[in-house]
Amino acid sequence: MTVLTIQTVELCSAIGKCMSSPSSYASSMSSYQSGNPRAVAAHALRMLGEARARDVATHEKNLPAIEANKAVRARVEALMAEVGMPASYTERDTKSRARYPKTIRLDAGYLGDLRRHCRTDDSFDHATSTYERLKKEYDAYATRAEEEAKQADAKKAREAEALVEKRKADMELAAMLLRYQLPLESTWSDVLEALCEKDQRLDLAVAMQRTRGDWSEGPYRVKNALDRFQIETTEDKDIANDVLSCLEDFEDGRVFRDTSWSYGRLFAEAADQQLSTDVQKALQHAGDE
């Protein structure tokens, strides 16, 4: 008869030591990485994968021992059955407070000993189901982390772009102040006001374009600009009359875009095109202040 001995079976317990929440791994990471959801997700998935690999390796190593223990249990159970040893017994339920306590069925002692000392299950099935559940949760966390990281990257890019644009605007403002010898503390609004004083047609064009952008309070800007407008030439008269006609039954600021002497035409046909360009640039930046 072949001699059978009980073999040691190691439990597959690596997955059971993994964090239930992937974010919990942040506490074991460096301060630089712990605040990065993408890095935390990658670390968590790596730890989960390594734990799974250890359980798979343990299970594969256990297979010969499991088969040997199955043979031991089969022989012991067969021997007990051969000699007539019952596989179970009954006794009164000592925990019952009933007047006539019921009896409960219990496994024979040797079956309990076999379960305790002759393992044929290394919990690999349980470890596998736990792994599959955690993998879904970790993957979902990684997906959310990736989306958050993309949003954070996009925000940084926007902030960097805004900083560059601000620096460019500051340089443009400095150049404008030097070109027109304006006070260094001047804002874009100050620059716009100063430049409009240099050309009444550009002054009128600015009022028209501003009203095109917001006519909620009516065309008061255009009316004020016309009050400042001096008729010096026939063309000045044509411009004033054309813009005045836009004020009749005024309803929509877009009329100043579409009229014959529109603000676009006034800008384009200005006598000083450098001044016209600078006025339009100042108008653009003044709206951001």
Side-chain angles (χ1 to χ4, degrees):
M1 180 182 293
T2 304
V3 177
L4 299 177
T5 58
I6 296 175
Q7 302 294 311
T8 300
V9 173
E10 181 183 353
L11 291 179
C12 299
S13 59
I15 283 293
K17 297 175 183 177
C18 290
M19 301 290 189
S20 58
S21 173
S23 60
S24 299
Y25 283 100
S27 61
S28 62
M29 301 172 65
S30 66
S31 57
Y32 173 75
Q33 290 186 315
S34 61
N36 184 338
R38 182 186 283 162
V40 173
H43 178 68
L45 283 168
R46 184 168 58 254
M47 298 300 291
L48 183 68
E50 291 175 358
R52 174 61 176 174
R54 289 196 297 273
D55 279 346
V56 170
T58 297
H59 180 62
E60 291 176 350
K61 184 180 69 173
N62 284 335
L63 290 177
I66 289 174
E67 292 303 314
N69 286 351
K70 286 181 179 179
V72 170
R73 294 184 69 160
R75 180 174 293 185
V76 171
E77 290 171 359
L79 176 61
M80 291 300 184
E82 183 181 342
V83 300
M85 182 68 70
S88 64
Y89 65 99
T90 58
E91 64 178 22
R92 286 178 177 273
D93 185 359
T94 57
K95 296 181 180 179
S96 175
R97 296 187 178 183
R99 183 174 181 181
Y100 300 104
K102 295 182 179 180
T103 58
I104 56 176
R105 179 187 176 281
L106 300 172
D107 287 336
Y110 72 89
L111 292 177
D113 290 337
L114 287 174
R115 283 194 295 269
R116 282 188 293 273
H117 304 297
C118 187
R119 292 185 178 277
T120 57
D121 179 11
D122 58 2
S123 297
F124 183 68
D125 289 344
H126 177 70
T128 297
S129 64
T130 301
Y131 166 75
E132 291 172 349
R133 174 176 58 81
L134 291 178
K135 185 66 165 58
K136 290 180 180 180
E137 295 176 4
Y138 282 33
D139 284 341
Y141 177 83
T143 299
R144 293 193 300 271
E146 184 64 25
E147 184 60 32
E148 291 175 5
K150 288 181 179 179
Q151 292 176 2
D153 291 343
K155 181 181 178 182
K156 288 181 180 179
R158 290 193 300 270
E159 291 174 348
E161 183 179 354
L163 180 60
V164 170
E165 292 301 318
K166 183 180 184 304
R167 287 177 178 172
K168 288 169 58 178
D170 290 343
M171 294 174 64
E172 291 173 343
L173 177 59
M176 201 88 73
L177 298 181
L178 290 174
R179 182 179 300 129
Y180 296 101
Q181 298 183 339
L182 297 173
L184 294 178
E185 65 274 13
S186 299
T187 64
W188 279 110
S189 295
D190 297 331
V191 171
L192 179 62
E193 182 179 353
L195 298 189
C196 283
E197 292 176 357
K198 295 180 179 296
D199 188 314
Q200 64 175 3
R201 293 190 183 186
L202 294 177
D203 179 39
L204 181 59
V206 167
M208 293 167 69
Q209 183 167 335
R210 278 186 157 175
T211 304
R212 162 66 183 89
D214 178 11
W215 63 86
S216 59
E217 297 182 15
Y220 72 92
R221 300 183 187 87
V222 178
K223 290 180 180 179
N224 292 340
L226 284 173
D227 289 341
R228 297 189 294 270
F229 198 83
Q230 299 296 316
I231 305 298
E232 298 176 355
T233 66
T234 301
E235 193 171 64
D236 286 341
K237 183 179 179 180
D238 292 340
I239 292 171
N241 287 334
D242 181 55
V243 177
L244 275 171
S245 67
C246 296
L247 300 181
E248 298 177 4
D249 302 322
F250 175 81
E251 294 182 355
D252 192 327
R254 287 173 292 188
V255 67
F256 299 119
R257 177 197 64 191
D258 303 328
T259 191
S260 177
W261 280 99
S262 65
Y263 54 80
R265 181 179 178 184
L266 290 173
F267 284 132
E269 298 184 10
D272 186 339
Q273 279 300 300
Q274 178 65 62
L275 179 61
S276 177
T277 298
D278 290 343
V279 166
Q280 293 176 74
K281 185 176 295 183
L283 176 58
Q284 174 189 351
H285 289 297
D288 297 332
E289 292 180 342

